[in-house]
Amino acid sequence: MTGRLPDALPDDPEIRRLLDPYRLPDGRPLPLFEAVAHSRAALDDLRRATAACLGTPALDARTREIAVLRVCARAGAETEWGVHVRMFAAEAGLGEAEIQATTEPREIFPWAAHDALVIRLADEIHDGSTVSDTLWAALSEVYTAQQIVELLLVVTQYHKVACLTNALGLRPLDGLPRPSPAAARGID
């Protein structure tokens, strides 16, 4: 773990067991999970919220990952963006151009209409912590009420994750994909 907290975790076998599922394919622990493990309550909250986001039954992986990557890019949370590119982007069917487009102004990439709504949702929540009536109406034409609620869950949870990642000073791990330098500062 590289950040503001000490690297040493409490010598607690239960904490180490709880961290086992949260590892990169090469075995390294996910930085955010390792950092919040300094607090059992924070670790339990993050585990529950992550399970809820990754298990959203009404959202497909592609929609979820576009939302996650956009939120992380907008907030400048390089570490979490790289983790999701490495662990979930291929499974979600995202190509390199789409992955990079999550870090650019939304007008640059020709997103499909339903994907563009997800990008816009992440942008509106990042910019104003709410959703405009216009966007809500557009989302309602494409997504069910359950899908909208699950999209909101994903976007707001990963906004929290991005804030935690940044506040904890978690730096990108070697070998993980990184957004462009401009995106690392957040999309304007």
Side-chain angles (χ1 to χ4, degrees):
M1 173 176 56
T2 317
R4 293 177 168 162
L5 295 174
D7 285 347
L9 288 174
D11 190 22
D12 182 342
E14 178 66 6
I15 294 289
R16 296 202 184 285
R17 183 189 69 74
L18 292 172
L19 287 173
D20 279 344
Y22 303 101
R23 296 188 176 280
L24 291 163
D26 64 10
R28 289 180 291 176
L30 295 175
L32 182 58
F33 283 88
E34 188 176 31
V36 301
H38 286 277
S39 163
R40 176 64 189 263
L43 179 60
D44 288 346
D45 177 71
L46 183 60
R47 291 175 61 238
R48 277 191 303 273
T50 299
C53 287
L54 296 180
T56 51
L59 290 182
D60 59 272
R62 175 187 171 78
T63 301
R64 180 194 72 225
E65 289 307 309
I66 289 171
V68 169
L69 293 176
R70 183 58 168 204
V71 169
C72 291
R74 285 299 311 271
E78 291 181 74
T79 302
E80 194 66 21
W81 186 90
V83 164
H84 274 262
V85 170
R86 172 63 45 85
M87 294 183 71
F88 301 107
E91 166 195 324
L94 295 175
E96 186 60 35
E98 292 167 312
I99 292 167
Q100 288 307 313
T102 66
T103 70
E104 299 170 351
R106 67 178 177 252
E107 301 79 26
I108 290 178
F109 188 78
W111 290 103
H114 60 284
D115 293 338
L117 290 173
V118 173
I119 294 289
R120 194 168 144 205
L121 176 65
D123 288 352
E124 283 197 13
I125 289 178
H126 176 80
D127 292 339
S129 299
T130 192
V131 180
S132 68
D133 290 340
T134 304
L135 177 55
W136 191 271
L139 287 165
S140 297
E141 290 178 12
V142 176
Y143 294 103
T144 67
Q146 181 181 356
Q147 288 172 318
I148 293 170
V149 168
E150 290 179 9
L151 269 169
L152 290 170
L153 172 73
V154 169
V155 170
T156 58
Q157 171 61 19
Y158 278 89
H159 185 75
K160 177 177 94 173
V161 164
C163 290
L164 281 168
T165 298
N166 292 340
L168 291 165
L170 300 179
R171 293 183 289 284
L173 297 175
D174 289 339
L176 283 183
R178 294 182 73 176
S180 69
R185 293 186 303 274
I187 302 164
D188 292 327

